[in-house]
Amino acid sequence: MILNSTMEQEFNKEFELIAKTFMGLEPILAQELTQLGANNVQIGRRMVSFTGNKEMLYRANFQLHTAIKVLKPIKHFKALSADDVYDEVMKIDWSQYMDNSKTFAVDSVVFSEEFRHSKFVSYKVKDAIVDQFRERTGSRPNISVANPDIRLNMHIAEDQCTLSLDSSGESLHRRGYRQESVEAPLNEVLAAGMILQTGWKADCDFIDPMCGSGTLLIEAALIALNMSPGVFRKEYAFEKWNDFDQELFDHIYNDDSQEREFKHHIYGYDIDMKAVNTARMNVKAAGLSSVITIEQADFKDFKQPQQKAIMVTNPPYGERISTPDLLGTYRMIGERLKHSFQGNDAWVLSYREECFEAIGLKPSIKIPLFNGSLECEFRKYQMFEGRMKEFRSEGGIVKTEEEKRAMAEKHRFKKNRDFKKHLDEEEENEEGDIRTFKFHSFERDYKGEPRKRFDREGGDNRRQDRGGKRFGGEGRGSDRGGRGYDRGGKRFDRDGRDFDRDGKSFGRDGKKFGRDNRFGGGKKQRRFDHDED
C-alpha cells in the first residue's frame, strides 16, 4: 500500500476509542492494548479508554482477547432532559456516517436520575437522526434491530452523555468457533481473561479437569499460539461504515507474522460424555485438534501429570447447574490437588465461600471476578510437597510481592456493588460502564501538557508498520502443525483445501482469498462452513 503525504496523514490520524470488558479484567485489557500499540491507555470501570488510528480500531476488534466491544465516540455532551439529548444529536452531521439507504439501531446505557429508561433515550436519538435526514433530503433511513448497517451506543451517567459508533456489532465474546454448548457455558472473554491473569506464558501443559464445552481449552490454545480470536468471526460492524478500508482489513486478517509454535499440550477432561463430545466438536471447528486433547474422566481419578502443568478450571457453583453433594465435589478437588498435582499451580473460579472452604487449601491469591451477575473469586493454589514451613525453609515462595498487593485489594469490588441494580435493564449494562470517566481531550493531549499514559513495559511497543507497510511477507509461507499457509493477500490453504481446518471450509467473501465465490456468492461467509464433509 503506497500512500502520498495526505493519505498517510489521514491513515495515521488518531482518535479516541473505548474498549469495554467485564469488571475485574480492566488491567488485563489495558495490558493487551499497550502490547498492541495503543496510545493514551487509561483504565476505567469495565472499560479502557485509548487512542489510535483506523488500523488500531480494526486490530482491537480482531486481536483483543478480553474486549467485549470497541466503541468510537462521536460526541461528548451534557444533557439535563430528553430535549437536550435530541438537540445535541441534531447538531451532528449524520451524512458523515450514513445515508438514507442505510439502516441503523441505537443501544443506550443509562445511569441517571433524570433518564430512567434506556429505551426512551434510544428513541430520542433515533428521532433526531431521522428528523435531520427528513429535513435535508425529504426521506429517512430505516431502523433495523436485528442487523443494522450502523450501530450507535449512547451512554448517560447523570448529565454526562457519550454517543459512540459501535465498531464491533455483535459482542466480541462470540468468537464463531462454538458449535454447541453445555449448560451455563463460560463466557469466552472471561475465560481468556482468567488465563491471562494466571500469567501463563504457554511454557508448560495446560489442564482443565472439568472442561464442559471446552471454552477454557480453546482460549488457552489461541493464547498459546498467539492467534487472533477474530479469525473465526463472520463480520464486524465497522465493515459497513462509509470509510471502511477493505484492503487494510484484508491485510490485517491475513497477517500471521505474530503467530508462534506451541511446544506443549492442552488437556481437557469431563465426567459427562455429552460435554466431551461437545468440546471435541468445538475444538475441531476451531482447527485446534493438534494442540488440544479431550477425554472422558472423573476428576476423582486424576493422576499426577508427567510434565509440568498449570490447571485452570471452573467447577459448578450450584447456582445455574444443580449439583448433588456440591461441597463433596469441592472436597474432592482439594484432595486431588493435594495428592496428585504437586509442584504445579492450580486456579479455581467459584462463587460460594463454603465451596472454597471445602477445598481445604490455602490460596496464594484471590482475584474478584464477575461471572455474569455473580461476584466470584478466582483463587490460585500453589501445590508443593510436604508442609508449608518446610517449603519456605527451602527457599520456596508462597506469595510474590505482586500477589500480596493483589490480595490487599481483594475487597475492591465491594464499594461498586450498586451496579448490580442495573443488570436486569439491558445486557449492555453488564458489559460497560463509563461513569465518572474523564475522556481524552485531543487539544490537551497534543497542544498542551501530555496526559499521563499507561506505563509500557519495555518502552514504546507501538508497531513499526504504520503508513500501510505490510506486516508479513507477501506469499510467505509458515508452518504450524503440518498445515500450510499461503497468505500475503492470496488464498489461505490448509491441507490442500481452501482455508480449511479439520475438514471445515473457512473463507471471507471473494476478494483476494475467495470470499463469495467459494460459497456460491451472495452472502458474506467469513467463517467455517459447518456442513458435513
Side-chain angles (χ1 to χ4, degrees), residues 34 62 198 260 444 449:
T34 301
F62 189 67
T198 69
R260 63 194 174 209
R444 286 202 306 273
E449 199 63 32

Side-chain angles (χ1 to χ4, degrees), residues 244-349:
F244 174 55
D245 188 330
Q246 184 75 64
E247 184 179 359
L248 174 61
F249 186 51
D250 287 350
H251 170 67
I252 292 169
Y253 190 90
N254 282 310
D255 176 23
D256 68 337
S257 61
Q258 298 303 310
E259 292 183 15
R260 63 194 174 209
E261 182 183 1
F262 178 47
K263 297 180 180 180
H264 301 278
H265 204 74
I266 296 170
Y267 298 94
Y269 307 95
D270 203 284
I271 193 173
D272 182 1
M273 194 62 209
K274 182 181 178 182
V276 169
N277 288 333
T278 297
R280 285 173 174 171
M281 185 183 302
N282 293 335
V283 167
K284 184 176 181 182
L288 297 169
S289 300
S290 64
V291 296
I292 300 175
T293 300
I294 303 170
E295 302 291 344
Q296 182 185 25
D298 192 333
F299 196 2
K300 69 180 177 61
D301 299 322
F302 186 80
K303 298 291 191 295
Q304 180 77 29
Q306 295 182 351
Q307 305 293 329
K308 184 171 178 58
I310 185 173
M311 181 184 294
V312 181
T313 193
N314 175 42
Y317 315 151
E319 288 293 314
R320 291 181 290 173
I321 303 176
S322 59
T323 306
D325 192 18
L326 181 66
L327 297 184
T329 298
Y330 280 83
R331 282 193 290 270
M332 177 271 294
I333 291 173
E335 188 273 335
R336 285 293 84 203
L337 291 179
K338 184 175 181 180
H339 294 100
S340 299
F341 206 57
Q342 296 175 357
N344 298 303
D345 293 338
W347 291 76
V348 178
L349 180 74

Side-chain angles (χ1 to χ4, degrees), residues 197 347-349 353 356-357 361-369 376-381 399 402-413:
Q197 285 201 337
W347 291 76
V348 178
L349 180 74
E353 183 64 31
F356 283 119
E357 290 176 356
L361 301 172
K362 188 173 182 179
S364 60
I365 188 170
K366 304 175 187 177
I367 300 174
L369 287 177
C376 300
E377 280 192 344
F378 190 38
R379 297 192 179 185
K380 175 186 176 182
Y381 297 93
K399 286 185 191 149
E402 185 178 349
E403 288 172 344
K404 288 177 183 177
R405 286 193 297 272
M407 285 287 279
E409 298 174 8
K410 67 180 181 179
H411 298 300
R412 66 183 183 273
F413 288 174

Side-chain angles (χ1 to χ4, degrees), residues 181-230:
S181 75
V182 296
E183 191 176 2
L186 192 64
N187 181 288
E188 290 86 340
V189 164
L190 178 60
M194 289 165 58
I195 295 164
L196 291 171
Q197 285 201 337
T198 69
W200 181 58
K201 305 297 185 186
D203 51 355
C204 66
D205 289 348
F206 183 99
I207 299 172
D208 181 359
M210 296 179 169
C211 69
S213 60
T215 306
L216 278 166
L217 307 176
I218 296 172
E219 293 299 321
L222 295 179
I223 291 168
L225 296 166
N226 205 30
M227 285 179 62
S228 299

Side-chain angles (χ1 to χ4, degrees), residues 103-247:
T103 60
F104 74 100
V106 183
D107 295 318
S108 296
V109 182
V110 178
F111 300 94
S112 173
E113 293 299 317
E114 180 65 36
F115 304 95
R116 295 179 179 272
H117 299 287
S118 58
K119 283 186 171 56
F120 179 65
V121 172
S122 295
Y123 290 144
K124 296 303 289 186
V125 175
K126 179 211 74 167
D127 288 346
I129 296 171
V130 166
D131 290 349
Q132 184 184 103
F133 274 100
R134 190 181 283 119
E135 289 175 7
R136 293 183 179 182
T137 67
S139 62
R140 51 156 288 180
N142 291 320
I143 304 295
S144 173
V145 177
N147 189 31
D149 296 316
I150 302 296
R151 295 175 183 265
L152 298 169
N153 180 279
M154 171 63 91
H155 188 285
I156 300 181
E158 299 307 335
D159 64 344
Q160 300 294 320
C161 305
T162 301
L163 182 59
S164 303
L165 287 169
D166 178 351
S167 71
S168 305
E170 194 175 35
S171 173
L172 294 175
H173 85 272
R174 299 184 186 278
R175 311 290 202 212
Y177 60 70
R178 194 194 289 271
Q179 302 303 290
E180 292 185 13
S181 75
V182 296
E183 191 176 2
L186 192 64
N187 181 288
E188 290 86 340
V189 164
L190 178 60
M194 289 165 58
I195 295 164
L196 291 171
Q197 285 201 337
T198 69
W200 181 58
K201 305 297 185 186
D203 51 355
C204 66
D205 289 348
F206 183 99
I207 299 172
D208 181 359
M210 296 179 169
C211 69
S213 60
T215 306
L216 278 166
L217 307 176
I218 296 172
E219 293 299 321
L222 295 179
I223 291 168
L225 296 166
N226 205 30
M227 285 179 62
S228 299
V231 73
F232 311 106
R233 192 175 167 98
K234 180 180 177 181
E235 189 176 60
Y236 296 94
F238 62 73
E239 293 185 74
K240 295 182 178 180
W241 290 4
N242 290 339
D243 66 346
F244 174 55
D245 188 330
Q246 184 75 64
E247 184 179 359

Side-chain angles (χ1 to χ4, degrees), residues 43-97:
I43 294 175
R45 185 175 172 197
R46 284 182 288 163
M47 52 81 73
V48 177
S49 174
F50 62 105
T51 61
N53 59 9
K54 189 182 293 185
E55 181 184 350
M56 177 55 61
L57 171 70
Y58 295 174
R59 286 190 176 275
N61 277 283
F62 189 67
Q63 294 180 229
L64 292 175
H65 294 267
T66 56
I68 294 171
K69 278 188 182 293
V70 179
L71 304 178
K72 180 183 179 183
I74 297 173
K75 186 173 185 179
H76 304 291
F77 59 91
K78 285 188 177 183
L80 297 174
S81 68
D83 288 339
D84 291 344
V85 171
Y86 178 92
D87 292 341
E88 291 295 334
V89 175
M90 276 287 280
K91 293 176 184 177
I92 300 168
D93 180 6
W94 287 102
S95 64
Q96 297 178 72
Y97 307 107

